[in-house]
Amino acid sequence: MVIEQLTITTTPKYNFPQENINLELPRTFLELSIQSIKTSEKTFNLNNLLNFQQLTITTLENLNCLSAKVIKLKPKPDNSIVSAIDVSSIKLGETSTGFLLAIRGAIVWKQNVNYRYLRIGPFLFHVTEENKQRIYNVLRKAYFNFAHQESKAALNITSTPNIMQMQSRLTGLLEKWLQMTLTTAAKNTLILWDGSLTVGTPETPTRVVESILQTARKRENMIMAFSKATRLRLMSHRITDLLVKSRPPCLLELKGYSNVNKPIRLLGEIYVARLAKGNCTFRLDIDKEIPSEQRIEAVEKLLGNDIVSHGYPETLRLAHILCTFTANEVIAMQRFIAKKAGLNIVSQPNIRRILFGPYGKGEVDNF
Amino acid sequence: MKIYKKEGNVLQILSFPEDNIEKGDYILIEDSKARKALIAQVIDIQFANIPGMLEELLRSCPDGGNIHGEDFDPLEIAPYITYIQDSRLLICKIRASIKNEYLSPSKSWLPSRSHSIVKKLPVSRLLEMIKAKGKLPIVLGETKESSPLIIDASSLDGRLNIITGKKETGKSHLSKLLVLSLVHYGATVVIFDLNGEYAGLGYSSDGARNEYYHRIHVLTPGKNFKLMLGQLDLRVMLNILVHALRLPGTSAREFRHIWKSLKERKELSLRALGETIRNWHCNIHIRDALFSRYYALVNSGLFTDNPSEASDIEQYLFKTREKGGAVVINLRDTSSIDRQIMVEYTLGKLVELLSNWRLKAVFLFAEEAHLYLRETYWDDIVTRMRHFGIFTTFITNQPDSIRSGIYRQADNIFLFNFTNENDLEAVSRAARVDAETVKSIARDLPPHHCLVLGKAVKDFPMVVKVKRLNVKTMGGTRLFFKEKN
């Protein structure tokens, strides 16, 4: 039997699906990054900022489900390439005009028995009220060929991003860029995303995700989005709890649910996946436009070609691990900024501590 | 470098790879506002406890390290990350403080953590500060910075020294260096040479006579060194009989009478002694005991009745009085009892000459002294004999063979590599330095590198690579496969 495989060309530098991929450094991202950290600020504060490393945003909705069907799965090993994308960001400190942000993305793919990765970043940004709009629009234009203002109507966005939302917006931008790049480059590949196929939020622009899914279909790629947490419920039960008694690997197919309010749309068919023993079940979104049998087959291929430990694909787990910032990386980035931008690192007094002493725990200070 | 913590006498300093600090190095912590400085020595180097380090390492090898990849790092932050990961914590012992350019042993002062300047203190500068060189410099070798480590010969004068380390680390080499340096400055040196290693001190490595040739006197008992009984004092002979030959007290009392009788008759000879014991009116068991010791003396080959064969250690010691010199007692190929006889004789003679002020002082070098020095002599040497002018240097590869009391009283310790915990434990009892310094630094010393502790370095422990010596090597280990290799 001849198994159809992707043409993987080995470049002098990266053994990565090359067709149509533009692996030039995200130059605009880099330029903006460098420009933004050349600040006139003298100091930046560290206080409780390291506690909230933000992961990829998963949009959660309340749905009314009508029926559910359990589908048994059989692993199908066929040497399909499995790849995964994840992006992580973290605040490094505050300045008097804004905050310093680090973003990094990772693509992991499994070839034969080896995992390989491509890590992009970290990119550092000094986001202020003054530059937030420029940063956001320049990046959107550079990556998705339309600026924020132009696409406002399509996205139903009525205002420019709040500075507090800039972290998730910029993270979303890099993530979408990576997803688009990988989808365009790969062929006949299982592509795993962290999150869902819910669109219509500022971080998940409908046109962009639709475009990515369309490209994926053309290139016979299969996009599967795994959510670690969901608020979806069926008859008052959280959907991820419904598969506890079913023998893994299996899927719970949810049928007949009503769509959510505009502009939010669900571009994926929603499943609850219990892919391995243990109590871990996940929400799994697969492109709606793909026939049902192919969706199920894609999950079976995933089971046959990737390690699925605790019901979660190893490629996606590695992507998450590789993009996440460790504490020593945070220290290194702070040192980098201090050296390159001449900023002094100072510890901001903790107001809660000052006011409440040992009782001043709990929520972190925000700006 | 930055001060991180201070606990007791230990400073923890945060350092980075480019600081190029190693164990044994000195650090100067200058607090310009307080106009004071601290001198601390690095006794251990650890990785700094960076948060997230475990995650970082685990991430680099998930599932047994079966992941490879590339990083697009356009801002080139990776070097900053590795820089942080490689940061180290220097565990330092505070050795002294400086106030108004004067060194003080006071360690009660604490420098500022925020504005103190922490930098490496070159050993050459430290040696200048402590004025270790003195008027009689002895170049021990080179420090890590390739600067010479010079001590003052007078720092060995009147002192108890210990040279210790495991086999083949360079103890005898250093010992020879010290002997020749002392001889160079006119000192009298006596060496108990267990393996015949010092016999070549008068020759250079190519076999030619060196400048010390006429000042090195090698005495091999039974060969070029024999004694007539008349040269011995009764007290020395009794020491030999009682301590080396284990003669019981009652028999010793009879021997005293025999000796006095022979001396009065001016017939003190080996033959006459045998005859007298045979004819002496005493208990048969005492006679047997005396006879067995008599034959031990005869069989040692050390004693003779022939005046032309006899020599006297005095004449060699007196030769050294003018320009200095060394008397090497070659104990190689001698039995344990003969060694003890020779040592008892030599020490007895030295005490006699020193107490009469016929000798000024003697530097005694004793290799593996536990093999020939009786129990009671240890304390004698470090207390009583020091007052007579015998300044001892013990050389051993078995540090536990020297009593802990000796370590506590040692003024200088030249410590070579030890890896065994028990050995390190024994040496760490030395009073002149803390146990952590000894254990931490000595464990990592390469061959021919020595940690110098004590008065010679003004209590600033220093590591030195002992300099090469152009002296004929003697007493090498006999090898079976030497030619085949």
Side-chain angles (χ1 to χ4, degrees):
Chain A
M1 190 176 109
V2 177
I3 300 166
E4 194 185 23
Q5 287 199 353
L6 255 184
T7 312
I8 306 292
T9 54
T10 309
T11 65
K13 200 166 181 190
Y14 305 105
N15 184 16
F16 192 78
Q18 286 293 302
E19 207 177 324
N20 294 333
I21 195 167
N22 175 14
L23 265 184
E24 271 217 359
L25 279 180
R27 181 63 49 195
T28 320
F29 221 82
L30 173 61
E31 282 166 6
L32 275 172
S33 169
I34 292 168
Q35 277 172 23
S36 70
I37 58 175
K38 281 181 186 165
T39 170
S40 57
E41 297 284 337
K42 295 289 177 217
T43 59
F44 72 100
N45 300 311
L46 307 174
N47 195 20
N48 298 322
L49 288 167
L50 306 183
N51 299 336
F52 53 99
Q53 178 156 318
Q54 186 161 346
L55 305 173
T56 309
I57 303 299
T58 303
T59 311
L60 306 166
E61 315 86 9
N62 285 308
L63 301 171
N64 298 315
C65 296
L66 296 176
S67 69
K69 185 176 88 179
V70 176
I71 302 163
K72 295 279 172 194
L73 298 170
K74 255 189 190 171
K76 268 194 185 170
D78 67 345
N79 286 341
S80 290
I81 293 178
V82 182
S83 59
I85 301 158
D86 201 4
V87 176
S88 185
S89 65
I90 193 165
K91 276 183 184 166
L92 300 173
E94 290 176 26
T95 65
S96 57
T97 53
F99 64 94
L100 290 155
L101 178 68
I103 306 174
R104 180 164 64 188
I107 300 174
V108 176
W109 66 102
K110 191 182 176 233
Q111 255 179 338
N112 302 319
V113 292
N114 293 322
Y115 289 95
R116 295 189 62 80
Y117 70 85
L118 177 65
R119 208 154 45 156
I120 297 175
F123 299 98
L124 307 180
F125 292 95
H126 180 214
V127 182
T128 63
E129 281 294 346
E130 287 72 37
N131 73 7
K132 64 175 187 183
Q133 187 68 26
R134 189 171 151 264
I135 289 175
Y136 191 57
N137 281 343
V138 168
L139 288 175
R140 283 179 67 90
K141 192 166 189 178
Y143 295 128
F144 309 121
N145 294 322
F146 56 91
H148 181 189
Q149 294 302 323
E150 292 164 286
S151 62
K152 225 186 219 180
L155 296 171
N156 279 349
I157 294 168
T158 52
S159 61
T160 54
N162 182 306
I163 193 166
M164 289 169 71
Q165 296 166 334
M166 279 299 282
Q167 180 175 359
S168 62
R169 297 289 175 88
L170 291 177
T171 309
L173 269 176
L174 182 63
E175 186 172 38
K176 287 288 162 278
W177 179 79
L178 285 176
Q179 289 168 350
M180 185 180 279
T181 306
L182 180 63
T183 310
T184 314
K187 196 162 190 288
N188 204 11
T189 299
L190 304 172
I191 298 174
L192 313 182
W193 292 5
D194 184 25
S196 68
L197 293 183
T198 304
V199 294
T201 65
E203 287 82 17
T204 55
T206 309
R207 273 178 56 184
V208 173
V209 180
E210 273 178 344
S211 163
I212 295 171
L213 290 175
Q214 202 172 20
T215 310
R217 285 193 290 272
K218 272 186 203 161
R219 300 188 61 78
E220 296 171 36
N221 294 325
M222 186 65 74
I223 291 171
M224 292 183 264
F226 281 82
S227 295
K228 291 181 281 296
T230 182
R231 266 190 252 145
L232 291 180
R233 287 175 184 269
L234 177 66
M235 295 163 74
S236 305
H237 288 89
R238 197 164 43 199
I239 60 164
T240 47
D241 294 342
L242 299 174
L243 268 182
V244 174
K245 287 181 183 169
S246 302
R247 204 170 158 183
C250 62
L251 289 177
L252 182 70
E253 190 177 24
L254 303 173
K255 285 276 185 187
Y257 49 82
S258 60
N259 218 331
V260 288
N261 294 335
K262 282 188 176 180
I264 306 293
R265 281 178 59 202
L266 304 169
L267 299 184
E269 203 67 64
I270 298 173
Y271 297 91
V272 178
R274 188 171 180 224
L275 302 182
K277 283 180 185 172
N279 290 326
C280 298
T281 53
F282 301 94
R283 171 182 161 183
L284 171 62
D285 288 19
I286 307 177
D287 187 2
K288 258 183 186 169
E289 300 296 319
I290 303 277
S292 171
E293 302 75 41
Q294 282 183 35
R295 291 197 297 261
I296 307 302
E297 190 188 18
V299 184
E300 289 179 330
K301 280 184 181 177
L302 174 67
L303 286 168
N305 293 293
D306 196 9
I307 298 167
V308 180
S309 174
H310 298 287
Y312 199 72
E314 181 68 5
T315 22
L316 196 52
R317 191 179 75 92
L318 288 174
H320 173 76
I321 287 171
L322 285 164
C323 70
T324 305
F325 293 102
T326 61
N328 90 75
E329 286 177 321
V330 171
I331 297 167
M333 289 185 290
Q334 286 166 344
R335 199 180 150 83
F336 173 86
I337 290 165
K339 202 168 178 183
K340 294 283 176 184
L343 287 173
N344 289 324
I345 304 168
V346 294
S347 280
Q348 191 182 43
N350 185 329
I351 298 298
R352 297 184 67 83
R353 279 271 170 193
I354 291 168
L355 291 178
F356 309 125
Y359 305 100
K361 297 173 186 170
E363 62 193 78
V364 293
D365 293 334
N366 234 322
F367 60 94
Chain B
M1 287 188 277
K2 285 275 176 195
I3 300 173
Y4 172 55
K5 233 187 221 181
K6 181 184 177 287
E7 277 171 16
N9 194 24
V10 177
L11 263 185
Q12 293 185 16
I13 291 173
L14 187 65
S15 157
F16 292 96
E18 81 260 10
D19 294 326
N20 194 23
I21 301 288
E22 289 181 18
K23 264 191 201 181
D25 285 347
Y26 277 89
I27 305 286
L28 184 69
I29 302 125
E30 287 177 320
D31 187 335
S32 53
K33 285 187 185 170
R35 292 183 180 179
K36 286 181 186 177
L38 272 186
I39 296 175
Q41 186 178 28
V42 180
I43 61 158
D44 197 14
I45 302 176
Q46 302 170 354
F47 282 115
N49 186 16
I50 305 292
M53 204 53 232
L54 184 63
E55 291 91 326
E56 195 68 44
L57 293 173
L58 285 171
R59 180 161 67 182
S60 65
C61 53
D63 296 330
N66 199 16
I67 184 162
H68 305 281
E70 297 285 345
D71 280 285
F72 277 123
D73 179 17
L75 294 173
E76 293 181 351
I77 292 171
Y80 286 80
I81 297 168
T82 49
Y83 187 77
I84 296 288
Q85 286 175 359
D86 286 340
S87 57
R88 290 112 218 261
L89 207 56
L90 309 178
I91 311 298
C92 307
K93 282 273 177 184
I94 301 171
R95 299 288 181 215
S97 57
I98 304 174
K99 191 179 178 187
N100 300 327
E101 298 186 357
Y102 287 103
L103 274 177
S104 149
S106 162
K107 296 158 190 170
S108 55
W109 167 73
L110 188 63
S112 158
R113 184 147 62 173
S114 58
H115 63 254
S116 285
I117 296 170
V118 183
K119 59 188 179 189
K120 192 173 167 180
L121 178 62
V123 175
S124 51
R125 203 183 140 203
L126 178 63
L127 287 169
E128 277 171 28
M129 290 161 88
I130 63 174
K131 299 181 180 76
K133 193 173 167 182
K135 289 177 183 170
L136 305 170
I138 297 175
V139 181
L140 287 187
E142 281 186 352
T143 64
K144 200 190 78 184
E145 301 147 13
S146 302
S147 59
L149 178 63
I150 303 170
I151 62 166
D152 190 1
S154 58
S155 65
L156 307 175
D157 195 8
R159 310 291 186 206
L160 174 67
N161 311 306
I162 295 172
I163 301 174
T164 187
K166 68 181 180 195
K167 268 168 66 184
E168 294 174 352
T169 47
K171 300 182 299 298
S172 300
H173 187 83
L174 174 68
S175 166
K176 287 172 196 170
L177 174 67
L178 294 179
V179 167
L180 291 181
S181 304
L182 290 168
V183 169
H184 177 78
Y185 289 120
T188 300
V189 180
V190 173
I191 305 155
F192 289 134
D193 182 9
L194 197 67
N195 300 309
E197 290 177 72
Y198 296 79
L201 279 180
Y203 299 91
S204 52
S205 51
D206 59 2
R209 292 176 180 182
N210 63 19
E211 59 180 305
Y212 301 105
Y213 176 78
H214 293 292
R215 290 195 260 175
I216 307 295
H217 312 286
V218 182
L219 307 182
T220 308
K223 289 180 182 165
N224 71 344
F225 186 71
K226 290 189 179 183
L227 294 166
M228 292 178 71
L229 287 189
Q231 292 173 270
L232 266 70
D233 187 68
L234 172 61
R235 189 176 50 82
V236 174
M237 183 48 101
L238 280 173
N239 275 344
I240 292 171
L241 291 172
V242 173
H243 298 298
L245 302 175
R246 308 270 184 271
L247 184 71
T250 40
S251 305
R253 202 161 49 244
E254 288 301 329
F255 183 84
R256 186 191 295 265
H257 296 313
I258 292 170
W259 185 275
K260 280 183 177 170
S261 151
L262 286 169
K263 199 162 188 180
E264 278 167 15
R265 285 184 278 147
K266 296 187 177 170
E267 287 178 7
L268 203 52
S269 70
L270 209 54
R271 194 183 54 80
L273 179 64
E275 283 296 313
T276 312
I277 292 170
R278 184 175 292 116
N279 300 323
W280 196 256
H281 291 288
C282 62
N283 181 300
I284 189 163
H285 297 295
I286 290 177
R287 184 179 296 121
D288 284 350
L290 290 174
F291 253 124
S292 69
R293 272 63 177 194
Y294 168 74
Y295 285 117
L297 293 175
V298 172
N299 292 334
S300 72
L302 182 64
F303 298 96
T304 180
D305 286 338
N306 183 354
S308 65
E309 281 182 350
S311 49
D312 195 345
I313 199 168
E314 272 184 40
Q315 70 188 71
Y316 295 107
L317 290 170
F318 290 154
K319 276 184 192 174
T320 66
R321 283 190 300 195
E322 291 298 312
K323 291 183 178 175
V327 176
V328 181
I329 314 289
N330 184 1
L331 300 174
R332 188 178 183 170
D333 302 327
T334 54
S335 69
S336 163
I337 291 196
D338 295 352
R339 271 201 303 258
Q340 288 181 52
I341 292 172
M342 191 62 202
V343 170
E344 287 288 348
Y345 165 72
T346 309
L347 289 176
K349 202 71 189 173
L350 285 175
V351 170
E352 180 192 322
L353 294 175
L354 290 163
S355 52
N356 295 336
W357 280 97
R358 292 166 74 193
L359 272 181
K360 201 171 166 187
V362 169
F363 291 89
L364 179 70
F365 281 70
E367 282 237 16
E368 304 301 348
H370 61 284
L371 295 177
Y372 48 80
L373 212 60
R374 66 178 154 90
E375 280 292 295
T376 50
Y377 258 139
W378 291 101
D379 291 331
D380 229 20
I381 279 180
V382 297
T383 53
R384 196 173 65 88
M385 288 196 187
R386 189 147 59 147
H387 295 292
F388 283 119
I390 297 179
F391 312 136
T392 312
T393 300
F394 290 114
I395 304 129
T396 183
N397 58 26
Q398 297 176 50
D400 53 354
S401 67
I402 297 176
R403 287 207 220 151
S404 59
I406 308 280
Y407 282 109
R408 285 200 200 98
Q409 294 184 66
D411 299 294
N412 296 298
I413 296 181
F414 300 90
L415 181 57
F416 288 83
N417 178 275
F418 273 123
T419 39
N420 184 286
E421 284 293 333
N422 292 332
D423 290 337
L424 287 166
E425 193 61 45
V427 183
S428 67
R429 289 176 198 139
R432 302 214 71 94
V433 73
D434 55 282
E436 293 102 307
T437 303
V438 170
K439 286 180 185 172
S440 177
I441 297 179
R443 202 192 303 266
D444 297 331
L445 285 172
H448 304 291
H449 285 69
C450 165
L451 175 66
V452 187
L453 308 165
K455 294 193 173 171
V457 284
K458 305 279 169 76
D459 291 322
F460 285 87
M462 282 183 203
V463 176
V464 60
K465 185 184 180 191
V466 180
K467 74 170 184 182
R468 285 176 63 85
L469 208 53
N470 184 17
V471 165
K472 190 177 174 185
T473 313
M474 305 287 283
T477 307
R478 189 189 298 185
L479 298 172
F480 183 80
F481 293 116
K482 193 175 181 181
E483 284 164 17
K484 291 179 184 173
N485 289 329

